[in-house]
Amino acid sequence: MSDTARVSETFKDCEFTEQWNAWQCQQENLGVLVAIGDDGDAYDRSVVPVYFTNEESGYTNKVNYMMDNTWDGFYASQKHKSMFPTMVQTDRNYTVEYSGTPFGNMRYKLWSKEGAFKVKVLYWNAGSYKVLVDGKEVEANAFDRNTGIAKPVSGLRGCGENRFVGGTTNYLEFWITPLCTVQVKPVDSIPSNVRMDWTMDEFYSAGGTTSFADRVSAALGIHASQIKIVAVYKGSVVVDYLVTVDPESTESASD
Amino acid sequence: MDKEACFSICAYSNEKEPCDDVHVTNNIAAGCPYAGFVAPGHACGDDESDLFKWNTAHSTLGAGMLIIPGDDPSHTAVCYEGSSLAVYKAQWGSIGTAYEAAEIRMRDVTVIDSKDGINIYASDKGDKFPTNKAVLINSHVYGETEADDCPEDHDCLCPQKMGVMLFYGQNGSKDYHHDVTSGYLTTNLMSYGSWASEAEYSGNTFHNFISNTTKCGNRQTLLRRNPDSSDYIPVQKFYNTIFDNVSDEAMVWLEDPDPHWANAADCAGFPCTAPNNVVMTFEGTSFTG
């Protein structure tokens, strides 16, 4: 594999061979994770550099978009395909940080024979996203009252298992396995926040997030499934939630 | 016009041409400026086809052979193949493709002592194919031979040499011929990498890359990336490969990204990063010699 500073030396059982300008590894957990932006402005808007990182190993891969290969008369077109391949050791989790607002519609694919890992995508903007595998939506992990956010991604539900965590931070996490394509799509939503003069125990003993979603949806005259709780935290009780569109009535405006 | 192939078979118009009852077998092309042969392949796995087989190209200034898709729609939609071919001492790509197809295979081919090596690029305009695969099967690739790259008592060329220029998929494709005087061959990539790009090498034998320098002192490498491959080099998967008399030092050379790519017309702030992310995997490899 390539000799890439802060990347190659973090992979286990690998040795640099100067005559190759490359590393030789005795392990099967190597592959390439590819991300691509599918929005209408994916050739015009820059989100680079894109940083793929793994904190434990010190892995930091700074990735660029693709070369501008077209000319508009005398000038370059300034169009770059927003596709980001990064070599990875496939038994580690990775964080993806785009230098601009990430594209709403994205795909990720892992090209490897072995391994599986969690991908954490940082978002600079509040929003709501759904994850699809093979065109089918993978339901986000259930809410965990102990942590006040959705349950962590463990991989037990396979490729596409996911959660979106909002509130003070915004990130999407999903599990990816070899040759699986994970598709991320935005969900039209209104970010909302309610502060209630309760204790956390009182909130959960009164039905917690389920009752909260029922009551808000009843007040708004919408289905409870359109209320997505993204975080619950002390203060006294603060609930961050999203009011999403009815999927039966309209398609996402971002499609 | 620059249509200078020695043989242009069902390819001259730069469009897929009917190629009924054409059989080009057991021919030799040499000394050709653009390509020895520009010729159609056959459907993958069609062992009966003799549309273009058992031909040899050598000592070409351009490519040895450019294998294009035939007029059968399945060639582009599914897979097409070139098989039972041989090329030696080609100055540019020995056997090359840069044409639209979900999968392009070269099978049972022999490539000897070439400058740019075998280079199979499958084009996928619009990223519409579920896969965009370049494959080399049951083939033999040889390093530099004893024969000089010049006639006796003449100055010799001294190019860098390679066996395989790492395969991949791209969004753009090449014309079969170039209607300009400065036409670029299939190795000159001027388009984005494709989303579904794959590269696979199965059951091949690499022979006699005995040193990482040629007789005249230039670099020789068995596996090397295309100098223009700025965007995406997919995982290079090698299965059941035999390295026969290949020295460790000549096996691979992975160049860093070209620092000149860091300009407003190419990759902007810093060089494109495909060369930083090349992974080659080997299973069932054996060594002889």
Side-chain angles (χ1 to χ4, degrees):
Chain A
M1 63 177 191
S2 305
D3 176 37
T4 304
R6 302 174 72 190
V7 175
S8 311
E9 69 268 25
T10 71
F11 292 167
K12 65 183 179 187
D13 301 327
C14 296
E15 271 185 25
F16 180 64
T17 302
E18 191 163 0
Q19 288 166 321
W20 300 353
N21 193 40
W23 293 66
Q24 184 177 14
C25 306
Q26 303 292 334
Q27 60 146 308
E28 295 190 338
N29 286 305
L30 291 176
V32 173
L33 174 68
V34 187
I36 185 171
D38 286 332
D39 284 356
D41 61 355
Y43 286 76
D44 299 304
R45 187 165 67 82
S46 171
V47 297
V48 298
V50 181
Y51 292 95
F52 295 80
T53 57
N54 172 270
E55 200 170 313
E56 291 79 22
S57 66
Y59 171 103
T60 302
N61 201 351
K62 178 184 174 185
V63 178
N64 206 347
Y65 46 30
M66 294 190 172
M67 185 181 279
D68 176 9
N69 282 308
T70 52
W71 291 83
D72 183 7
F74 184 75
Y75 299 101
S77 69
Q78 301 297 318
K79 288 186 181 294
H80 301 267
K81 187 176 185 178
S82 291
M83 184 167 133
F84 313 105
T86 181
M87 62 181 183
V88 290
Q89 183 174 308
T90 60
D91 55 359
R92 293 172 177 165
N93 298 327
Y94 293 92
T95 299
V96 187
E97 182 177 345
Y98 297 94
S99 295
T101 302
F103 297 106
N105 293 280
M106 292 209 67
R107 279 173 291 157
Y108 298 82
K109 184 162 186 171
L110 174 59
W111 292 96
S112 73
K113 185 183 178 193
E114 303 286 344
F117 54 82
K118 183 174 67 180
V119 178
K120 178 179 182 178
V121 184
L122 305 181
Y123 283 85
W124 306 116
N125 52 334
S128 179
Y129 298 88
K130 61 183 177 183
V131 166
L132 300 91
V133 172
D134 294 332
K136 293 179 183 170
E137 184 174 352
V138 180
E139 195 67 31
N141 283 358
F143 197 81
D144 181 354
R145 63 167 291 182
N146 295 319
T147 58
I149 54 179
K151 289 179 179 173
V153 171
S154 63
L156 295 174
R157 294 174 55 213
C159 186
E161 179 190 344
N162 69 92
R163 69 171 179 175
F164 184 81
V165 176
T168 53
T169 59
N170 288 288
Y171 61 87
L172 172 72
E173 290 182 330
F174 59 83
W175 192 255
I176 195 163
T177 57
L179 305 183
C180 177
T181 300
V182 170
Q183 188 175 11
V184 177
K185 295 182 81 113
V187 177
D188 285 345
S189 62
I190 302 168
S192 306
N193 173 287
V194 169
R195 182 186 297 270
M196 293 173 284
D197 189 14
W198 268 7
T199 66
M200 293 293 272
D201 285 343
E202 286 171 335
F203 174 73
Y204 281 110
S205 64
T209 54
T210 306
S211 292
F212 177 84
D214 287 343
R215 288 169 184 164
V216 172
S217 62
L220 296 174
I222 61 176
H223 194 271
S225 65
Q226 292 174 247
I227 304 298
K228 308 279 188 192
I229 311 296
V230 292
V232 178
Y233 48 96
K234 287 182 181 175
S236 299
V237 173
V238 180
V239 180
D240 291 334
Y241 65 100
L242 300 166
V243 181
T244 63
V245 295
D246 178 2
E248 300 294 319
S249 66
T250 180
E251 289 295 315
S252 167
S254 298
D255 283 349
Chain B
M1 299 292 279
D2 191 27
K3 296 186 175 181
E4 297 175 308
C6 285
F7 289 80
S8 179
I9 302 155
C10 308
Y12 196 76
S13 68
N14 272 338
E15 294 177 0
K16 290 182 178 180
E17 299 174 4
C19 217
D20 298 331
D21 204 22
V22 175
H23 310 274
V24 181
T25 60
N26 298 305
N27 297 282
I28 297 174
C32 316
Y34 173 71
F37 297 88
V38 182
H42 53 78
C44 286
D46 180 4
D47 292 330
E48 303 301 313
S49 171
D50 64 353
L51 192 158
F52 183 71
K53 265 192 177 168
W54 308 296
N55 298 296
T56 300
H58 71 89
S59 310
T60 56
L61 179 62
M65 297 181 181
L66 300 175
I67 307 300
I68 66 173
D71 64 332
D72 181 340
S74 76
H75 287 197
T76 295
V78 184
C79 179
Y80 80 90
E81 178 180 298
S83 65
S84 303
L85 305 167
V87 174
Y88 61 94
K89 286 200 178 291
Q91 275 301 300
W92 288 13
S94 52
I95 299 179
T97 69
Y99 311 115
E100 189 165 40
E103 181 173 340
I104 302 177
R105 293 182 197 167
M106 293 298 135
R107 182 164 57 90
D108 299 319
V109 302
T110 300
V111 171
I112 302 169
D113 195 356
S114 61
K115 173 178 167 283
D116 284 345
I118 183 166
N119 54 89
I120 309 304
Y121 303 125
S123 169
D124 180 4
K125 295 175 185 170
D127 286 327
K128 60 184 177 297
F129 296 133
T131 185
N132 189 216
K133 201 169 183 179
V135 181
L136 181 67
I137 304 173
N138 293 338
S139 295
H140 295 265
V141 178
Y142 290 79
E144 188 178 53
T145 61
E146 287 299 312
D148 286 333
D149 294 308
C150 53
E152 201 171 351
D153 300 325
H154 285 71
D155 289 338
C156 266
L157 296 171
C158 185
Q160 295 191 19
K161 294 184 176 180
M162 71 179 89
V164 174
M165 190 182 271
L166 302 182
F167 299 173
Y168 55 89
Q170 57 186 356
N171 289 146
S173 63
K174 293 289 186 184
D175 288 340
Y176 304 152
H177 292 271
H178 298 294
D179 296 340
V180 293
T181 53
S182 59
Y184 290 116
L185 274 179
T186 54
T187 50
N188 182 259
L189 305 174
M190 298 296 284
S191 75
Y192 305 121
S194 65
W195 162 255
S197 175
E198 289 187 72
E200 195 173 297
Y201 310 79
S202 185
N204 302 298
T205 305
F206 301 127
H207 306 267
N208 299 344
F209 285 80
I210 57 176
S211 168
N212 66 352
T213 52
T214 62
K215 282 186 291 186
C216 63
N218 217 328
R219 182 184 294 280
Q220 174 177 240
T221 313
L222 169 55
L223 305 170
R224 188 173 170 180
R225 73 171 177 85
N226 186 313
D228 293 333
S229 53
S230 56
D231 294 343
Y232 179 32
I233 301 170
V235 176
Q236 306 283 307
K237 295 176 284 188
F238 291 82
Y239 301 106
N240 303 317
T241 304
I242 299 172
F243 290 94
D244 172 33
N245 207 22
V246 175
S247 77
D248 204 44
E249 64 185 19
M251 199 170 289
V252 64
W253 169 252
L254 293 181
E255 288 171 278
D256 292 335
D258 184 344
H260 295 101
W261 291 342
N263 68 76
D266 290 330
C267 304
F270 60 107
C272 294
T273 45
N276 285 338
N277 292 282
V278 180
V279 174
M280 308 165 78
T281 63
F282 293 85
E283 288 182 42
T285 306
S286 58
F287 300 87
T288 63

